[in-house]
């Protein structure tokens, strides 16, 4: 069982910056990856960025060079620094954690935080 608490969403002008935070608690010893998804109304949920326990990161092409994901390993907190925001970044952003129990994998989700970018 993993619980995720998110913060940092809000309203920002195009070209501005925003930082999202997500802190994991519970059985975090089993978590090997944390990251962010986003979903806009009428669109499918897509992965934005992930960071593995070893520190490697991955980004969806549309945010490369603009977003940076990082992790505080001691505090089980992941951050998403979003720069040069665009209108199309507007979505609900969900924190995600992946854990492994034996051969089974589980996904854990935060409540979601709204990011709105004005054009």
């Amino acid at each position: 069982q993993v619980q995720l608490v998110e913060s940092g969403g809000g309203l920002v002008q195009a070209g501005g910056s925003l930082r999202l935070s997500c802190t994991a608690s519970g059985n975090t010893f089993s978590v090997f990856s944390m990251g962010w998804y986003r979903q806009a109304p009428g669109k499918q949920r897509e992965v934005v960025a992930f960071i593995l326990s070893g520190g490697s990161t991955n980004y969806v092409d549309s945010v490369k060079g603009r977003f940076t994901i990082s992790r505080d390993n001691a505090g089980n907190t992941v951050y998403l620094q979003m720069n040069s925001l665009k209108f199309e970044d507007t979505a609900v952003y969900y924190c995600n954690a992946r854990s492994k129990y034996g051969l089974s994998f589980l996904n854990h989700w935060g409540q979601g935080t709204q990011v709105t970018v004005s054009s």
Side-chain angles (χ1 to χ4, degrees):
Q1 185 179 7
V2 176
Q3 296 80 43
L4 303 175
V5 179
E6 303 160 325
S7 64
L11 175 65
V12 65
Q13 292 183 349
S17 298
L18 208 61
R19 190 180 77 159
L20 307 182
S21 300
C22 175
T23 299
S25 62
N27 296 328
T28 59
F29 57 86
S30 63
V31 174
F32 64 89
S33 175
M34 294 183 67
W36 297 90
Y37 285 70
R38 67 185 180 186
Q39 186 170 24
K43 296 183 179 180
Q44 65 180 1
R45 185 176 299 185
E46 67 172 351
V47 63
V48 178
F50 275 96
I51 185 167
L52 302 179
S53 59
S56 62
T57 59
N58 289 280
Y59 301 89
V60 67
D61 287 343
S62 60
V63 308
K64 288 181 178 178
R66 300 189 297 118
F67 291 9
T68 302
I69 190 170
S70 60
R71 184 174 181 175
D72 181 344
N73 291 325
N76 294 306
T77 300
V78 65
Y79 306 92
L80 186 66
Q81 179 67 45
M82 304 184 292
N83 298 326
S84 301
L85 282 163
K86 304 175 180 179
F87 174 76
E88 51 264 41
D89 295 319
T90 297
V92 177
Y93 284 70
Y94 296 92
C95 183
N96 170 267
R98 300 179 68 189
S99 59
K100 183 178 181 181
Y101 301 92
L103 299 178
S104 299
F105 294 87
L106 293 176
N107 278 299
H108 313 274
W109 298 97
Q111 184 176 348
T113 184
Q114 177 70 49
V115 172
T116 302
V117 183
S118 61
S119 61

